[in-house]
Amino acid sequence: MSLTEPLPYMLRETRRARLAEASLLAEAVRWFEHCRLLRDFENQHLLATPSPEDLRAHRVVIADLIADGEILAWQAAQGEADLSQVGFKVEDIEAETRLLRDNFRMFHEPMPPAEAERILGAVFGESSA
């Protein structure tokens, strides 16, 4: 069983929910759960030495979750549902979407070592070398 098997399943489920036009509340709850599952995957498989396969699957799933977050936030802002029924608001969806974008950059657009050294030097006044 591949380590990335749950990720394509999440992708299919997310897209299926969006296409099935489930209620906004149900979509939002499912989306937040998929975001949590993605964080679990990141912690288990991407923090040490991720495989190219894990990184590729992560890129596809996180991009889909970002897109869904944008759709959900837009729909919720249009007043299509009362999100307080499930314990959150539009700003929560927007914040989670920003976190997904940050994680995308962290795992797929890493900072060049020279830039990291420059920042560490500016902040702490010394080099890590």
Side-chain angles (χ1 to χ4, degrees):
M1 178 173 161
S2 168
L3 294 176
T4 58
E5 224 171 86
L7 290 178
Y9 173 78
M10 283 173 43
L11 177 63
R12 286 192 303 273
E13 285 301 304
T14 300
R15 198 149 314 277
R16 184 177 298 132
R18 191 171 54 223
L19 295 175
E21 296 184 18
S23 77
L24 180 63
L25 293 177
E27 284 188 52
V29 168
R30 183 178 303 122
W31 179 78
F32 272 110
E33 176 61 14
H34 286 176
C35 290
R36 186 194 63 74
L37 291 171
L38 182 68
R39 300 248 187 281
D40 291 346
F41 179 85
E42 289 169 346
N43 290 334
Q44 293 171 10
H45 302 289
L46 300 185
L47 292 180
T49 307
S51 72
E53 178 182 288
D54 286 344
L55 284 170
R56 180 68 182 145
H58 180 265
R59 176 184 286 273
V60 169
V61 171
I62 200 168
D64 195 63
L65 288 172
I66 290 167
D68 284 348
E70 294 291 346
I71 291 167
L72 289 169
W74 179 78
Q75 289 175 323
Q78 302 299 313
E80 293 186 19
D82 178 12
L83 296 176
S84 67
Q85 295 176 33
V86 289
F88 50 85
K89 44 194 176 189
V90 176
E91 292 83 6
D92 298 324
I93 296 171
E94 293 168 341
E96 185 68 27
T97 302
R98 282 192 303 275
L99 290 172
L100 290 168
R101 288 184 191 286
D102 289 345
N103 278 15
F104 183 94
R105 283 190 294 276
M106 178 174 65
F107 289 113
H108 302 288
E109 298 170 0
M111 183 181 296
E115 185 178 353
E117 286 294 321
R118 183 186 58 74
I119 292 170
L120 287 172
V123 172
F124 299 107
E126 59 186 65
S127 172
S128 66

Short mmCIF file of all heavy atoms in Angstrom, two decimals, residues 45-80:
data_model
loop_
_atom_site.label_atom_id
_atom_site.label_comp_id
_atom_site.label_asym_id
_atom_site.label_seq_id
_atom_site.Cartn_x
_atom_site.Cartn_y
_atom_site.Cartn_z
N HIS A 45 4.89 12.42 6.74
CA HIS A 45 5.64 12.06 5.53
C HIS A 45 6.50 13.17 4.91
O HIS A 45 7.37 12.86 4.10
CB HIS A 45 4.69 11.53 4.45
CG HIS A 45 3.89 10.36 4.90
ND1 HIS A 45 4.44 9.11 5.09
CD2 HIS A 45 2.60 10.25 5.24
CE1 HIS A 45 3.50 8.29 5.51
NE2 HIS A 45 2.38 8.95 5.62
N LEU A 46 6.24 14.42 5.25
CA LEU A 46 6.95 15.48 4.55
C LEU A 46 7.97 16.23 5.39
O LEU A 46 8.78 16.97 4.85
CB LEU A 46 5.96 16.49 3.95
CG LEU A 46 4.95 15.94 2.94
CD1 LEU A 46 4.12 17.08 2.36
CD2 LEU A 46 5.61 15.13 1.85
N LEU A 47 7.95 16.08 6.70
CA LEU A 47 8.84 16.88 7.54
C LEU A 47 10.27 16.37 7.56
O LEU A 47 11.19 17.15 7.76
CB LEU A 47 8.29 16.96 8.97
CG LEU A 47 7.00 17.77 9.11
CD1 LEU A 47 6.54 17.79 10.56
CD2 LEU A 47 7.16 19.18 8.57
N ALA A 48 10.49 15.10 7.35
CA ALA A 48 11.85 14.55 7.36
C ALA A 48 12.43 14.63 5.95
O ALA A 48 12.89 15.68 5.52
CB ALA A 48 11.85 13.13 7.89
N THR A 49 12.42 13.53 5.25
CA THR A 49 12.92 13.49 3.88
C THR A 49 11.81 12.94 2.99
O THR A 49 11.69 11.72 2.81
CB THR A 49 14.17 12.58 3.79
OG1 THR A 49 15.11 13.01 4.76
CG2 THR A 49 14.78 12.64 2.40
N PRO A 50 10.99 13.82 2.44
CA PRO A 50 9.85 13.35 1.64
C PRO A 50 10.29 12.73 0.32
O PRO A 50 11.27 13.17 -0.28
CB PRO A 50 9.03 14.61 1.41
CG PRO A 50 10.00 15.73 1.54
CD PRO A 50 11.03 15.27 2.54
N SER A 51 9.55 11.72 -0.10
CA SER A 51 9.82 11.12 -1.40
C SER A 51 9.23 12.01 -2.49
O SER A 51 8.29 12.79 -2.24
CB SER A 51 9.18 9.73 -1.48
OG SER A 51 7.77 9.85 -1.59
N PRO A 52 9.75 11.91 -3.70
CA PRO A 52 9.17 12.68 -4.81
C PRO A 52 7.69 12.35 -5.01
O PRO A 52 6.89 13.23 -5.32
CB PRO A 52 10.01 12.26 -6.02
CG PRO A 52 11.32 11.83 -5.44
CD PRO A 52 10.97 11.20 -4.11
N GLU A 53 7.32 11.09 -4.81
CA GLU A 53 5.92 10.68 -4.95
C GLU A 53 5.04 11.37 -3.90
O GLU A 53 3.95 11.85 -4.21
CB GLU A 53 5.81 9.16 -4.80
CG GLU A 53 4.39 8.63 -4.89
CD GLU A 53 4.34 7.14 -4.68
OE1 GLU A 53 4.78 6.40 -5.58
OE2 GLU A 53 3.87 6.71 -3.62
N ASP A 54 5.52 11.42 -2.65
CA ASP A 54 4.75 12.09 -1.60
C ASP A 54 4.61 13.58 -1.89
O ASP A 54 3.54 14.16 -1.71
CB ASP A 54 5.42 11.90 -0.23
CG ASP A 54 5.24 10.50 0.33
OD1 ASP A 54 4.36 9.75 -0.17
OD2 ASP A 54 5.99 10.16 1.26
N LEU A 55 5.69 14.21 -2.36
CA LEU A 55 5.62 15.63 -2.68
C LEU A 55 4.66 15.91 -3.83
O LEU A 55 3.90 16.88 -3.80
CB LEU A 55 7.01 16.17 -3.02
CG LEU A 55 7.92 16.41 -1.82
CD1 LEU A 55 9.34 16.69 -2.28
CD2 LEU A 55 7.39 17.56 -0.97
N ARG A 56 4.68 15.06 -4.84
CA ARG A 56 3.79 15.25 -6.00
C ARG A 56 2.33 15.10 -5.57
O ARG A 56 1.48 15.92 -5.93
CB ARG A 56 4.14 14.25 -7.10
CG ARG A 56 3.26 14.37 -8.31
CD ARG A 56 3.52 15.68 -9.03
NE ARG A 56 2.61 15.76 -10.17
CZ ARG A 56 2.09 16.88 -10.60
NH1 ARG A 56 2.40 18.02 -10.04
NH2 ARG A 56 1.27 16.89 -11.61
N ALA A 57 2.03 14.07 -4.80
CA ALA A 57 0.66 13.86 -4.33
C ALA A 57 0.23 15.03 -3.45
O ALA A 57 -0.91 15.53 -3.57
CB ALA A 57 0.56 12.55 -3.57
N HIS A 58 1.12 15.50 -2.60
CA HIS A 58 0.81 16.63 -1.72
C HIS A 58 0.50 17.87 -2.56
O HIS A 58 -0.46 18.59 -2.28
CB HIS A 58 1.99 16.89 -0.78
CG HIS A 58 1.76 18.04 0.15
ND1 HIS A 58 2.22 19.31 -0.15
CD2 HIS A 58 1.13 18.11 1.34
CE1 HIS A 58 1.87 20.12 0.84
NE2 HIS A 58 1.21 19.43 1.76
N ARG A 59 1.29 18.12 -3.58
CA ARG A 59 1.09 19.30 -4.43
C ARG A 59 -0.31 19.28 -5.06
O ARG A 59 -1.01 20.30 -5.08
CB ARG A 59 2.15 19.36 -5.53
CG ARG A 59 1.97 20.50 -6.51
CD ARG A 59 2.98 20.44 -7.64
NE ARG A 59 4.30 20.83 -7.21
CZ ARG A 59 4.74 22.09 -7.18
NH1 ARG A 59 3.96 23.07 -7.56
NH2 ARG A 59 5.96 22.36 -6.78
N VAL A 60 -0.71 18.13 -5.55
CA VAL A 60 -2.01 18.02 -6.20
C VAL A 60 -3.15 18.22 -5.20
O VAL A 60 -4.08 18.99 -5.44
CB VAL A 60 -2.14 16.64 -6.89
CG1 VAL A 60 -3.57 16.38 -7.36
CG2 VAL A 60 -1.17 16.54 -8.06
N VAL A 61 -3.06 17.57 -4.05
CA VAL A 61 -4.14 17.64 -3.07
C VAL A 61 -4.22 19.03 -2.44
O VAL A 61 -5.31 19.59 -2.30
CB VAL A 61 -3.98 16.54 -1.99
CG1 VAL A 61 -4.97 16.75 -0.85
CG2 VAL A 61 -4.17 15.18 -2.63
N ILE A 62 -3.09 19.61 -2.08
CA ILE A 62 -3.14 20.92 -1.44
C ILE A 62 -3.65 21.98 -2.41
O ILE A 62 -4.40 22.89 -2.01
CB ILE A 62 -1.79 21.30 -0.79
CG1 ILE A 62 -2.00 22.40 0.27
CG2 ILE A 62 -0.77 21.72 -1.83
CD1 ILE A 62 -0.79 22.63 1.16
N ALA A 63 -3.30 21.88 -3.68
CA ALA A 63 -3.82 22.82 -4.67
C ALA A 63 -5.34 22.71 -4.76
O ALA A 63 -6.05 23.73 -4.85
CB ALA A 63 -3.18 22.59 -6.03
N ASP A 64 -5.84 21.50 -4.73
CA ASP A 64 -7.29 21.28 -4.78
C ASP A 64 -7.98 21.83 -3.54
O ASP A 64 -9.03 22.47 -3.62
CB ASP A 64 -7.59 19.79 -4.95
CG ASP A 64 -9.02 19.55 -5.37
OD1 ASP A 64 -9.40 20.00 -6.46
OD2 ASP A 64 -9.76 18.93 -4.58
N LEU A 65 -7.37 21.61 -2.37
CA LEU A 65 -7.96 22.13 -1.14
C LEU A 65 -7.94 23.66 -1.11
O LEU A 65 -8.89 24.28 -0.61
CB LEU A 65 -7.23 21.56 0.09
CG LEU A 65 -7.50 20.09 0.38
CD1 LEU A 65 -6.59 19.59 1.49
CD2 LEU A 65 -8.97 19.86 0.73
N ILE A 66 -6.90 24.26 -1.65
CA ILE A 66 -6.85 25.72 -1.73
C ILE A 66 -7.99 26.22 -2.62
O ILE A 66 -8.72 27.16 -2.26
CB ILE A 66 -5.48 26.21 -2.24
CG1 ILE A 66 -4.41 25.97 -1.18
CG2 ILE A 66 -5.53 27.69 -2.65
CD1 ILE A 66 -2.98 26.13 -1.69
N ALA A 67 -8.16 25.58 -3.77
CA ALA A 67 -9.24 25.98 -4.68
C ALA A 67 -10.60 25.81 -4.00
O ALA A 67 -11.46 26.71 -4.09
CB ALA A 67 -9.17 25.16 -5.96
N ASP A 68 -10.80 24.70 -3.32
CA ASP A 68 -12.07 24.48 -2.63
C ASP A 68 -12.28 25.50 -1.52
O ASP A 68 -13.40 25.97 -1.30
CB ASP A 68 -12.15 23.07 -2.07
CG ASP A 68 -12.42 22.03 -3.14
OD1 ASP A 68 -12.77 22.41 -4.27
OD2 ASP A 68 -12.28 20.83 -2.83
N GLY A 69 -11.22 25.86 -0.81
CA GLY A 69 -11.34 26.86 0.24
C GLY A 69 -11.77 28.21 -0.33
O GLY A 69 -12.61 28.90 0.26
N GLU A 70 -11.22 28.56 -1.48
CA GLU A 70 -11.62 29.81 -2.13
C GLU A 70 -13.10 29.76 -2.52
O GLU A 70 -13.84 30.73 -2.32
CB GLU A 70 -10.76 30.08 -3.36
CG GLU A 70 -9.31 30.36 -3.06
CD GLU A 70 -9.08 31.68 -2.34
OE1 GLU A 70 -9.99 32.54 -2.30
OE2 GLU A 70 -7.97 31.87 -1.83
N ILE A 71 -13.54 28.63 -3.07
CA ILE A 71 -14.94 28.48 -3.46
C ILE A 71 -15.84 28.55 -2.24
O ILE A 71 -16.85 29.26 -2.24
CB ILE A 71 -15.15 27.13 -4.21
CG1 ILE A 71 -14.46 27.18 -5.57
CG2 ILE A 71 -16.64 26.82 -4.36
CD1 ILE A 71 -14.34 25.83 -6.25
N LEU A 72 -15.49 27.81 -1.19
CA LEU A 72 -16.31 27.80 0.03
C LEU A 72 -16.39 29.19 0.66
O LEU A 72 -17.47 29.62 1.09
CB LEU A 72 -15.76 26.80 1.03
CG LEU A 72 -15.94 25.33 0.69
CD1 LEU A 72 -15.12 24.46 1.64
CD2 LEU A 72 -17.41 24.95 0.74
N ALA A 73 -15.27 29.89 0.74
CA ALA A 73 -15.27 31.23 1.33
C ALA A 73 -16.14 32.17 0.51
O ALA A 73 -16.90 32.97 1.07
CB ALA A 73 -13.84 31.76 1.44
N TRP A 74 -16.05 32.07 -0.79
CA TRP A 74 -16.86 32.93 -1.66
C TRP A 74 -18.35 32.62 -1.46
O TRP A 74 -19.16 33.54 -1.30
CB TRP A 74 -16.44 32.74 -3.11
CG TRP A 74 -17.26 33.57 -4.05
CD1 TRP A 74 -17.14 34.91 -4.28
CD2 TRP A 74 -18.33 33.11 -4.87
NE1 TRP A 74 -18.07 35.31 -5.20
CE2 TRP A 74 -18.83 34.22 -5.57
CE3 TRP A 74 -18.91 31.87 -5.07
CZ2 TRP A 74 -19.88 34.13 -6.47
CZ3 TRP A 74 -19.96 31.77 -5.97
CH2 TRP A 74 -20.44 32.89 -6.66
N GLN A 75 -18.70 31.33 -1.47
CA GLN A 75 -20.10 30.95 -1.29
C GLN A 75 -20.62 31.40 0.07
O GLN A 75 -21.72 31.93 0.19
CB GLN A 75 -20.28 29.44 -1.44
CG GLN A 75 -20.13 28.95 -2.84
CD GLN A 75 -20.20 27.43 -2.92
OE1 GLN A 75 -19.71 26.73 -2.04
NE2 GLN A 75 -20.82 26.92 -3.98
N ALA A 76 -19.81 31.20 1.10
CA ALA A 76 -20.23 31.58 2.45
C ALA A 76 -20.38 33.09 2.56
O ALA A 76 -21.31 33.58 3.22
CB ALA A 76 -19.22 31.07 3.47
N ALA A 77 -19.50 33.84 1.92
CA ALA A 77 -19.60 35.31 1.96
C ALA A 77 -20.84 35.81 1.25
O ALA A 77 -21.34 36.89 1.55
CB ALA A 77 -18.35 35.92 1.34
N GLN A 78 -21.36 35.01 0.31
CA GLN A 78 -22.60 35.37 -0.38
C GLN A 78 -23.82 35.12 0.50
O GLN A 78 -24.94 35.38 0.09
CB GLN A 78 -22.74 34.55 -1.68
CG GLN A 78 -21.61 34.71 -2.66
CD GLN A 78 -21.45 36.14 -3.13
OE1 GLN A 78 -22.42 36.77 -3.49
NE2 GLN A 78 -20.24 36.64 -3.09
N GLY A 79 -23.57 34.59 1.70
CA GLY A 79 -24.67 34.35 2.64
C GLY A 79 -25.49 33.12 2.32
O GLY A 79 -26.66 33.03 2.69
N GLU A 80 -24.87 32.14 1.65
CA GLU A 80 -25.61 30.95 1.26
C GLU A 80 -25.90 30.01 2.42
O GLU A 80 -26.71 29.11 2.27
CB GLU A 80 -24.84 30.19 0.16
CG GLU A 80 -24.79 30.97 -1.14
CD GLU A 80 -24.17 30.17 -2.27
OE1 GLU A 80 -24.11 28.94 -2.17
OE2 GLU A 80 -23.76 30.81 -3.25
#
